[in-house]
Amino acid sequence: MTNLLRLPAAGLILLAVAACSTAPAAPDLTPPAPRVDAKTQLEYGAPPPRGPRY
């Protein structure tokens, strides 16, 4: 009789651990590209290159 109770209990514990084990993906925190106004495009011909990221 105890085996009949242990098996479902072990299954429930296994399901609970499996549900909590996967974390959602981290959100993308990169900032959006800077907008270039018309004056900058006229002066430089194209958007200025972005600086290096460290």
Side-chain angles (χ1 to χ4, degrees):
M1 183 71 175
T2 58
N3 286 339
L4 292 176
L5 295 176
R6 286 185 184 176
L7 187 60
L12 287 176
I13 292 172
L14 181 67
L15 286 174
V17 170
C20 296
S21 65
T22 58
D28 185 19
L29 299 177
T30 56
R35 298 195 64 161
V36 180
D37 59 351
K39 181 181 177 187
T40 305
Q41 287 181 351
L42 286 173
E43 290 175 349
Y44 294 105
R50 297 183 73 179
R53 288 194 161 177
Y54 296 104

